[in-house]
Structures are given as structure tokens and as C-alpha cells.
Amino acid sequence: MNEKHRAIHKAARDLIQGAQRSSLWWALAWQETRQRYRRSMLGPFWITISTAVMVGAMGPLYGVLLGQDVGSYLQHLAVSLIFWTFISASINESGSAFIAAEGFIKQIALPLTTYIFRLIARNLILLAHNFAIVVVVLLIFPPAHMQDIWLFPLGLLLVIGNLFWLSLLLALVSTRFRDVPQLVSNLVQVAFFLSPIIWKADMLSAKTRFVADFNPLFHFLEIIRAPLLGEPIYATSWIFAGTLLVAGSSISFLAFARLRARTPYWL
């Protein structure tokens, strides 16, 4: 077995062993969440409250300004903001996934992917808290059709898979080049305005439709949002997200196999 094959074998073993330690990274994610909000009576629900205030304040105002039905716009805004928070937090925090765990990595022999799983798990915990807003909004303004609701968990799993490979790749690159997290943060800010979160994709003209069609974040939001809101299901978004998962995972895994052994030395 040559050096390249050995590196691929070790990377695959790291990924498998990291996935098998689910009890560990869930415990670490929960502990970190509790630590972040220690001595706070409401804990992570403060994020839920601030998001709920934003939805409640922006929904009626922007619905009127954009000429939208307030009920349907509140549905769109609530679902979009909650899942955008999950996606953007996972991307922004990925740059520090290995850097913040420097002490663990240098002292404890754990698979490096454990820290990526922990990152995703931590943001899933916050997503679970914030999802209460979606439930309340959909109870007050129920969608007309929800026959495709069963696609929601499949869409969420597809998004999580894409976030995993992207977080792993960004964590590797950011450990070597410490300017990358700041660059990613700026790009995510720009992506917020270029993605249909405050506005809807159907507001775009034929000439500007490419803003959504070639935006991966639009497709990530769409495969989650459409089943929840009873909107038309477009195969294009599912194909785009699935293709990106396969291609991105392949690239990320090969980069991990190549750079995995060097990562502790970069910390």
C-alpha cells in the first residue's frame, strides 16, 4: 500500500470512528451550549426570543412594503430566518472548529471529524430551540397544502450532509490560513442579501433569476422550506443539492486525506 492509499485509509477510518462516537460529540455539543449560556435563566432560548422579535417586527412591515400577503410572508420569513441561522452559523464557525479544539487535539487521540460532528450537533441543538418559532407561526398561519411535509426531514438531512463536507474543508483550510474565517464571514454576510430570505425568489424577473438559480444557499433553503410551507416542489433544487453533496464530499474527503496528518502541526 503506497503513501496515498494509506492516507485515504486513515481518513476513512477517522470519518467512520468519528461518526461512531455520536454519544461523545452530542455530549460535547450540549456541554458547550450550556457553558455558553451558564447563569442565564433562559439559556439558548434567548436566541429564540431575539429571532421571534425579529420575525414579529419585520414580518408585517416588510410584507406590506413588498406587497405580500402578511400571513404567507410571515411563514416565509420565519422558516427562512431560522434555517439561515443554522446554515450560516455552521459555515461561520467551521473555520475555528479545529483551532478552538487545539487543546483536545494535542492531548487526546480523537478522530478529527469528531470536532466537525460536534459543530453540526451544537447548531442542531440551537435549531431545535428556534424551531419553536416555526411551529407557532405555522399554527397561526397554517399552509394550505402540506402533503409533501414528509420531504422536510430528507431535505434537512441533505443540507446537513452538505454542511458537514463544507465545514470539514473550511476547518482544514482555516487551520493553515488564519485569514480564511474572516473572508468566509464576509461572504456569508453578502450571501444573506443575495439569498431569498427577506425577499422571495418569485419576485425576481427572468433576467435576474440567475441570482437564485446559481445560488447553492437558495437550493438548500428551498428543499427545506417548500415542504414545510406547502409550496411547489422543484426537482432542480433537489438535484442541485444532491449533486453538490456528492461532488463536495469527494473533494472534501480527498483534501482531508491529504491534510489530516498536518493539521495538528498547524495549530
Side-chain angles (χ1 to χ4, degrees):
M1 185 183 294
N2 60 35
E3 189 65 29
K4 183 178 179 180
H5 288 159
R6 278 197 294 269
I8 291 175
H9 175 73
K10 289 179 180 179
R13 186 172 60 187
D14 187 299
L15 182 60
I16 294 170
Q17 291 179 348
Q20 290 175 339
R21 286 173 164 80
S22 58
S23 58
L24 173 62
W25 40 262
W26 275 113
L28 290 173
W30 182 246
Q31 181 185 22
E32 190 171 350
T33 303
R34 293 181 62 184
Q35 184 72 12
R36 185 178 298 184
Y37 297 98
R38 63 178 178 177
R39 299 183 183 177
S40 170
M41 293 180 63
L42 297 179
F45 281 108
W46 277 116
I47 296 178
T48 306
I49 292 171
S50 63
T51 307
V53 170
M54 184 182 301
V55 171
M58 292 176 58
L61 175 61
Y62 278 78
V64 172
L65 290 176
L66 297 174
Q68 301 289 307
D69 174 73
V70 173
S72 64
Y73 183 75
L74 270 171
Q75 295 173 352
H76 169 85
L77 184 64
V79 173
S80 300
L81 273 180
I82 270 65
F83 285 99
W84 170 259
T85 300
F86 167 66
I87 293 171
S88 61
S90 299
I91 296 173
N92 280 328
E93 294 173 8
S94 61
S96 60
F98 294 151
I99 297 171
E102 178 180 356
F104 283 98
I105 293 173
K106 290 184 175 181
Q107 297 179 34
I108 304 174
L110 286 175
L112 283 179
T113 51
T114 302
Y115 306 104
I116 306 299
F117 282 113
R118 178 182 68 170
L119 182 152
I120 301 296
R122 182 176 67 244
N123 285 302
L124 280 171
I125 291 171
L126 296 178
L127 174 63
H129 285 80
N130 289 339
F131 195 75
I133 300 172
V134 174
V135 174
V136 171
V137 169
L138 296 186
L139 285 175
I140 297 174
F141 302 102
H145 308 286
M146 295 193 72
Q147 67 272 16
D148 296 318
I149 188 68
W150 62 274
L151 288 172
F152 165 68
L154 297 179
L156 182 58
L157 284 174
L158 195 53
V159 170
I160 292 172
N162 275 290
L163 287 176
F164 181 87
W165 74 254
L166 181 57
S167 296
L168 177 59
L169 186 60
L170 288 175
L172 289 168
V173 176
S174 298
T175 305
R176 177 64 179 86
F177 303 102
R178 300 300 174 94
D179 292 325
V180 171
Q182 286 74 26
L183 175 62
V184 169
S185 178
N186 289 329
L187 291 175
V188 168
Q189 279 187 318
V190 173
F192 174 81
F193 296 104
L194 295 179
S195 302
I197 299 167
I198 295 178
W199 49 274
K200 293 185 177 182
D202 57 16
M203 296 178 184
L204 297 172
S205 66
K207 293 182 179 180
T208 57
R209 180 71 191 186
F210 71 92
V211 174
D213 291 340
F214 295 99
N215 182 350
L217 298 176
F218 161 70
H219 296 291
F220 291 170
L221 289 170
E222 193 65 16
I223 62 177
I224 293 173
R225 188 167 51 198
L228 276 177
L229 301 183
E231 296 175 348
I233 305 295
Y234 295 109
T236 306
S237 293
W238 289 86
I239 294 171
F240 190 101
T243 303
L244 195 60
L245 176 63
V246 174
S249 297
S250 301
I251 294 171
S252 181
F253 178 77
L254 292 175
F256 184 53
R258 182 180 178 86
L259 304 176
R260 174 183 165 275
R262 306 178 195 179
T263 300
Y265 298 99
W266 290 336
L267 293 171

